[in-house]
Amino acid sequence: MFEFSRRALVGATATAALMVAGAGIASAHVTVVAPGAEQGGYTVLTFRVPTESETAGTTAVTVELPGLRSARTEPLPGWTATVEKDPESQLATSVTWTAEPDVQVGPGQFQQFVLSVGPLPEEDEVSFPAIQTYSDGEVVAWDEIATGDEEPERPAPSLTL
């Protein structure tokens, strides 16, 4: 019995190590996921925002939206979310999550920011340029669009529909 438990623990540890190693550098970027998202449909977007700084925490994140009729944030304790709309069309153009005082995503941590949106554009791929603000005042723009096979240094989060 002890031998089986030890083998299971070793196997689980090895699997976890491979998953972390396989995540690589790309996991350090701001990303968006929405399994099953389709053109013209409604979906839940999950923005994963890691803190890459070793000395400062993430205190705000702004994500540009492609003019959506509906954009609703999920409550996140310690954070305030604001959806900006175009005054004429009333379409959602961005959302900003701002940390309350003494709240941040610390070094070596990440946070998920969830947004229910729709209808999605009739496009094959949608980019969501993002701005990440740190507690030391540094601002990082995740807004570069990939061209060809090479990934840019600060790619915009994108979603294939």
Side-chain angles (χ1 to χ4, degrees), residues 4 7 17 29 32 38-39 57 64 94-96 107 112 131 147 151-152 157:
F4 174 76
R7 284 184 185 171
H29 302 323
V32 61
E38 297 179 354
Q39 295 177 9
E64 289 182 33
S94 70
V95 61
T96 300
Q112 296 187 116
I131 305 266
T147 55
E151 182 176 302

Side-chain angles (χ1 to χ4, degrees), residues 25-114:
I25 293 172
S27 66
H29 302 323
V30 175
T31 59
V32 61
V33 294
E38 297 179 354
Q39 295 177 9
Y42 286 76
T43 194
V44 174
L45 302 173
T46 302
F47 293 93
R48 294 179 179 152
V49 181
T51 295
E52 293 184 355
S53 172
E54 294 181 15
T55 59
T58 299
T59 57
V61 176
T62 299
V63 176
E64 289 182 33
L65 302 174
L68 301 171
R69 192 174 1 187
S70 177
R72 299 171 191 256
T73 59
E74 179 177 72
L76 182 61
W79 293 79
T80 301
T82 306
V83 176
E84 295 291 327
K85 294 184 177 185
D86 177 79
E88 291 182 26
S89 68
Q90 289 300 300
L91 296 177
T93 56
S94 70
V95 61
T96 300
W97 288 272
T98 306
E100 295 175 359
D102 300 323
V103 174
Q104 64 182 357
V105 183
Q109 298 178 334
F110 79 99
Q111 180 64 57
Q112 296 187 116
F113 298 91
V114 179

